[in-house]
Amino acid sequence: MHCKKATFLLSKREENKLTWLEQVQLRTHLGLCGACKHFEKQTMIITCLVKEIRQKETLPENIKQQIQSQLR
Amino acid sequence: MAHSLHPQEWVTQYADALYSYTLPRVNDQALAQDIVQETFLSAWKAREGYKGEASEKNWLFAICRNKIIDHYRRKSTDIMVHIDQDNTEDRYFGEPGHWNQQDEPADWRNAADGEVERKEFYQAFEGCRKKLHDAQQSVFAMKYLDDLDSAEICKTLGITPSNYWVLMHRAKLQLRNCLEKNWINPK
């Protein structure tokens, strides 16, 4: 298997859609290929960090006033 | 007073919360502000029909959520064209399917361990996300911010599961490439 296929299977794996054969092929490839192993780790890092996006934002005051004036 | 609404307090009570919820999902300040405004106006118009089944807060969030979903749908109308024309994979992989040398994923080590590093991640991520095409941005937000499963996403956007994987996969390829250039190894 080559890297293009392996990375695609990694994405597909997130949906638990790999066949038994694909799982074996993917595991074998990841054992041999550092770049794809990094890809695997990186997508996990991205997923974790994105899920933690919890910024507190403030709606600009002028827009608040504008809305307030419309609610009457 | 379970069935009553307090529209005069909506802005003070919920405007920032709705905005904080909307902004990361649409990744555009002006648009997020419009959605919050439309949420309040729709709620105002529908206030007579409020039965008190949901709390005032949940009711407002549900209205806002629908508006965000509408936005995802609008951004995905030409989704199939993108799927067909996109050549993301060819950008990063040569023949026979190996990473191009300059695009090989590097070891990020403990890049996201510190507070500062995370902050930098979110800044880089915001920019990198904007480089994805609209349909990909929608799919990405639905999956990772709204925690929807693929079946729901496919149904909402009217795409097949294999379209969905391809979109997500290409989004990841692009994001990780962009993040490596702008967050891990900024010039």
Side-chain angles (χ1 to χ4, degrees):
Chain A
M1 186 168 15
H2 49 60
C3 305
K4 189 172 163 181
K5 175 89 185 285
T7 51
F8 182 72
L9 290 184
L10 279 169
S11 293
K12 209 173 156 191
R13 190 179 68 181
E14 264 189 50
E15 303 295 324
N16 301 316
K17 300 283 187 195
L18 293 194
T19 64
W20 177 81
L21 182 63
E22 284 172 332
Q23 288 178 38
V24 174
Q25 288 175 327
L26 179 61
R27 226 172 291 149
T28 312
H29 181 89
L30 290 177
L32 300 167
C33 178
C36 286
K37 195 86 194 133
H38 291 154
F39 178 84
E40 180 189 27
K41 177 104 186 283
Q42 291 175 7
T43 51
M44 287 187 218
I45 293 175
I46 295 171
T47 309
C48 287
L49 290 177
V50 168
K51 286 193 170 161
E52 283 174 24
I53 295 184
R54 294 273 184 279
Q55 282 146 300
K56 249 188 120 24
E57 307 286 346
T58 311
L59 193 69
E61 203 49 48
N62 60 327
I63 295 177
K64 283 185 181 168
Q65 283 168 11
Q66 199 184 328
I67 298 171
Q68 192 70 56
S69 69
Q70 287 168 314
L71 302 184
R72 68 179 88 201
Chain B
M1 293 286 280
H3 296 247
S4 64
L5 295 169
H6 303 93
Q8 293 317 310
E9 285 156 38
W10 284 353
V11 174
T12 333
Q13 291 232 26
Y14 307 115
D16 291 340
L18 287 168
Y19 186 52
S20 303
Y21 178 80
T22 307
L23 185 55
R25 287 170 169 76
V26 302
N27 206 27
D28 178 318
Q29 290 186 352
L31 186 65
Q33 291 166 6
D34 285 348
I35 289 179
V36 172
Q37 185 158 17
E38 285 168 26
T39 298
F40 285 125
L41 293 182
S42 298
W44 175 254
K45 284 182 198 141
R47 68 191 186 283
E48 304 291 336
Y50 177 74
K51 300 272 190 296
E53 283 148 354
S55 69
E56 182 176 61
K57 182 182 177 191
N58 288 349
W59 183 69
L60 286 167
F61 267 86
I63 295 171
C64 183
R65 202 161 158 68
N66 282 331
K67 302 216 176 280
I68 295 172
I69 299 262
D70 284 345
H71 160 78
Y72 292 151
R73 282 212 186 92
R74 267 199 308 278
K75 290 288 184 187
S76 306
T77 43
D78 52 356
I79 205 164
M80 297 310 290
V81 181
H82 280 301
I83 291 173
D84 291 340
Q85 291 177 351
D86 190 303
N87 61 348
T88 302
E89 280 100 331
D90 300 334
R91 256 187 281 156
Y92 305 130
F93 299 100
E95 287 303 321
H98 286 292
W99 292 98
N100 293 327
Q101 207 181 355
Q102 71 275 17
D103 294 313
E104 261 190 31
D107 189 350
W108 285 6
R109 296 177 192 279
N110 303 320
D113 280 3
E115 189 104 347
V116 179
E117 288 80 359
R118 277 180 204 217
K119 227 178 152 173
E120 286 165 358
F121 169 86
Y122 289 116
Q123 275 168 5
F125 179 71
E126 216 182 291
C128 287
R129 222 175 126 188
K130 288 207 165 85
K131 292 186 190 155
L132 299 175
H133 66 65
D134 291 342
Q136 278 177 322
Q137 293 194 36
S138 295
V139 171
F140 196 85
M142 291 169 97
K143 162 87 181 161
Y144 290 112
L145 293 166
D146 297 324
D147 233 348
L148 296 175
D149 67 29
S150 52
E152 280 173 279
I153 298 173
C154 290
K155 203 173 133 208
T156 308
L157 302 182
I159 56 175
T160 65
S162 60
N163 293 155
Y164 165 79
W165 296 329
V166 169
L167 274 170
M168 273 309 288
H169 180 53
R170 288 172 180 163
K172 282 183 211 157
L173 284 169
Q174 289 173 62
L175 279 172
R176 74 118 233 118
N177 190 279
C178 179
L179 286 166
E180 196 162 300
K181 285 185 183 134
N182 295 285
W183 175 49
I184 301 288
N185 302 312
K187 296 230 166 67

